[in-house]
Amino acid sequence: MKKVLIFYASYGGGHLSAARSIKEYIEENYTDVETNLVDCVKYVNKAFEKLTTTAYNEMAKKAPWAWGKIYSKSEKGPFAAISNTSNKIMALKLNKLLQEYNPDLVISTHPFGSQMCTVLKAKGKIHAKIATVMTDYAPHDQWLVNSNLIDYFFVSHDGMKLALEEKGIDSSKIFATGIPLSNRFLKSYNKKEILDEFGLQENKKTILFFAGGEFGLGKSRTYDMLKTFAENFDYLQVVAISGRNEKMKKSFEYLVHHSHKEDSIKVLDYTTKVPELMSISDMVVTKPGGLTTTESLASGLPIIVINPIPGQEEENAEFLESKNVAIWIKKNDDPKEVLGNLFNSPEKMKEMKISAKLLAKKNSCKDICEIVLK
C-alpha cells in the first residue's frame, strides 16, 4: 500500500480545493494508495496559522496594495529570507507527522509545504518523493526554494514550464498538467433542469457573477458592476454569488429590489452548485483566483476580470488577457462601454470561448496522479 500525504495551507481557497481534488481522484481510482490531507501550517502551529491567515484576509479585503508589495518582495531580499527561515523552524514540528505517517510521496499545493519537506529531506529526515502543485498562472520564487530536492513541479500551462526552465529547473521535472480540478466539471448536466432550479429563462444569455466572497467586502466597484448589468442589459440574466459576505448579499438584494430585476438577477450566497451553474452560463465575471479561473476555462467560458488582488491575481489577469480568454475591466474603464462592445460582437465572444477551451486542462488530476503514482 503506497502512502501519500497531501499538504495545503488556508491562504485563499484554491490551495485546499486543489489538494482535495487530488485526494478525491486517488480515492476513486487507486485501490492500493492511502491518502491523508493536512493543513501543514495549522498542524505546525494553530496560533501562527490563525494569525497569518487573518492577516492575509484582512489585507486582501482592506489593503490589497499592501499584500501586493509583500507578494513582490517575498521573492527576493529580507521578506524572502524571513519566510524561508520560518519554514526551516516550522519543519522541525512537521517532522513529527512525517515520521508517524511515513509517506512514500508528499504532494503540496502551497509553497510552505514543499519548503518544509525539502528542509527535512536535506537533513536526511525523510526520503519521500516531493511533488509541488503550483496553483496560479504565473510563477513565484517561493515555490522554487530548494528546487533541487523537489521531484515534480506541476504547473498550469506551457508558459510556466518555460519560465521554470529559465530559472534553472530541470525540464524533466516540470509538467504542464493544469491546476487540479474537481471531476464535477467533467460531467454533463441537463441545462433545462438547472435553469428551472434557479428560476432562469431559456431565451436569455446567462452571466455568472462572483462578488469575491469574503474579499468583496467594501468593494464598491463590485456593486457598480452588477448595477451596470441591471441598468443596461435587459437581454441578459445574471446569477450573482455573494459568497459568505453578508454585507455584499444585502447590497445586491437591495439593488435587485429597487431596480425591479427579480426576474433577471438571482442573488445567491455560498453555493455548492458552481459546476452546474457554469454549465448553463455564457460568461463569468470574477476576480481571477487560480481556482475560479481554472473552473471557468474548463467550462469554456470567457472571463470578465474585476478587482484582482495585486500580486498573483493581477499576474493571472495579465496572462488571461494575453491568451484572449479574458477582459480586465480596470479602474478607469467604463464597464457599460466594455461590456456593450463585447456583447455586440458575437465573433469576439466565440473567439474567447474557443481560446478558453484550448487553454483548459480538464484532466489535470488524472495526469498528475498518473505521473506520480506510475
Side-chain angles (χ1 to χ4, degrees):
M1 177 73 72
K2 187 171 286 189
K3 299 172 77 173
V4 179
L5 195 52
I6 305 173
F7 285 141
Y8 69 97
S10 298
Y11 304 102
H15 306 293
L16 170 57
S17 178
R20 186 180 285 147
S21 294
I22 293 171
K23 177 177 171 63
E24 288 174 355
Y25 187 88
I26 293 174
E27 289 176 345
E28 290 172 6
N29 294 277
Y30 291 84
T31 58
D32 60 340
V33 178
E34 176 188 325
T35 61
N36 191 10
L37 183 66
V38 178
D39 182 330
C40 58
V41 180
K42 182 179 285 188
Y43 177 88
V44 167
N45 190 310
K46 290 182 180 179
F48 177 78
E49 186 269 343
K50 185 175 182 179
L51 174 68
T52 54
T53 54
T54 299
Y56 170 79
N57 292 343
E58 288 301 305
M59 277 192 286
K61 286 188 291 187
K62 299 176 181 177
W65 58 270
W67 169 250
K69 288 192 175 295
I70 290 173
Y71 178 85
S72 175
K73 291 184 177 181
S74 64
E75 289 210 88
K76 298 282 193 298
F79 277 101
I82 291 169
S83 176
N84 297 346
T85 300
S86 66
N87 278 310
K88 287 179 182 178
I89 296 169
M90 290 193 297
L92 300 177
K93 291 192 175 181
L94 191 68
N95 186 47
K96 180 176 182 293
L97 170 64
L98 287 157
Q99 296 306 318
E100 290 174 354
Y101 192 70
N102 191 27
D104 301 286
L105 169 69
V106 177
I107 300 174
S108 182
T109 63
H110 191 277
F112 287 0
S114 295
Q115 285 186 32
M116 286 188 274
C117 287
T118 57
V119 168
L120 297 172
K121 196 169 187 176
K123 295 177 182 242
K125 301 283 188 183
I126 64 170
H127 304 283
K129 296 277 189 180
I130 300 173
T132 291
V133 180
M134 300 173 70
T135 51
D136 279 302
Y137 287 79
H140 188 283
D141 281 356
Q142 281 294 315
W143 289 100
L144 310 181
V145 174
N146 298 330
S147 59
N148 60 307
L149 296 171
I150 296 174
D151 300 280
Y152 310 95
F153 286 93
F154 296 102
V155 299
S156 55
H157 57 89
D158 291 327
M160 275 186 73
K161 184 176 191 298
L162 180 61
L164 264 61
E165 289 172 352
E166 290 174 349
K167 288 177 178 289
I169 309 297
D170 188 338
S171 62
S172 67
K173 300 199 297 187
I174 313 167
F175 304 88
T177 53
I179 296 171
L181 182 75
S182 168
N183 63 7
R184 291 177 61 204
F185 288 89
L186 306 179
K187 296 179 179 179
S188 297
Y189 296 95
N190 185 306
K191 183 174 182 178
K192 186 176 186 313
E193 286 182 2
I194 297 166
L195 290 170
D196 290 346
E197 178 182 351
F198 290 96
L200 300 169
Q201 303 172 49
E202 289 188 74
N203 62 344
K204 285 188 173 183
K205 289 188 179 299
T206 303
I207 310 300
L208 187 55
F209 187 107
F210 290 98
E214 59 186 313
F215 302 124
L217 183 65
K219 291 231 184 307
S220 60
R221 282 180 58 80
T222 303
Y223 177 86
D224 291 342
M225 177 65 69
L226 187 61
K227 188 177 179 183
T228 299
F229 280 105
E231 293 179 346
N232 300 285
F233 301 100
D234 290 335
Y235 52 88
L236 301 172
Q237 57 192 353
V238 181
V239 178
I241 301 176
S242 61
R244 294 186 173 93
N245 187 334
E246 189 62 28
K247 181 179 177 182
M248 188 66 74
K249 182 173 183 283
K250 288 179 178 177
S251 68
F252 281 2
E253 290 172 339
Y254 175 87
L255 170 63
V256 171
H257 176 70
H258 284 270
S259 59
H260 307 291
K261 292 292 182 179
E262 288 86 354
D263 288 341
S264 58
I265 300 180
K266 309 296 179 179
V267 179
L268 305 177
D269 50 17
Y270 179 77
T271 178
T272 60
K273 295 289 187 76
V274 171
E276 290 87 341
L277 287 166
M278 284 194 174
S279 76
I280 55 98
S281 296
D282 298 279
M283 175 179 285
V284 170
V285 179
T286 185
K287 59 194 278 297
L291 172 60
T292 307
T293 295
T294 301
E295 294 171 348
S296 301
L297 295 178
S299 302
L301 297 177
I303 301 170
I304 295 295
V305 171
I306 58 172
N307 300 331
I309 298 171
Q312 67 269 44
E313 288 192 354
E314 288 191 348
E315 291 176 345
N316 291 349
E318 291 170 356
F319 169 76
L320 295 169
E321 275 203 313
S322 74
K323 295 299 182 180
N324 193 36
V325 299
I327 295 175
W328 179 1
I329 297 183
K330 299 180 181 177
K331 184 177 180 180
N332 296 320
D333 292 337
D334 179 355
K336 178 183 174 183
E337 180 181 347
V338 173
L339 293 170
N341 290 338
L342 180 58
F343 295 136
N344 289 324
S345 177
E347 282 303 311
K348 174 66 173 175
M349 288 278 286
K350 184 178 178 181
E351 287 174 9
M352 291 175 74
K353 287 184 178 182
I354 292 171
S355 297
K357 289 178 180 177
L358 291 174
L359 191 59
K361 295 182 182 293
K362 298 173 73 169
N363 295 308
S364 51
C365 283
K366 176 177 180 289
D367 294 339
I368 289 170
C369 290
E370 286 186 351
I371 291 167
V372 297
L373 299 173
K374 61 186 175 182

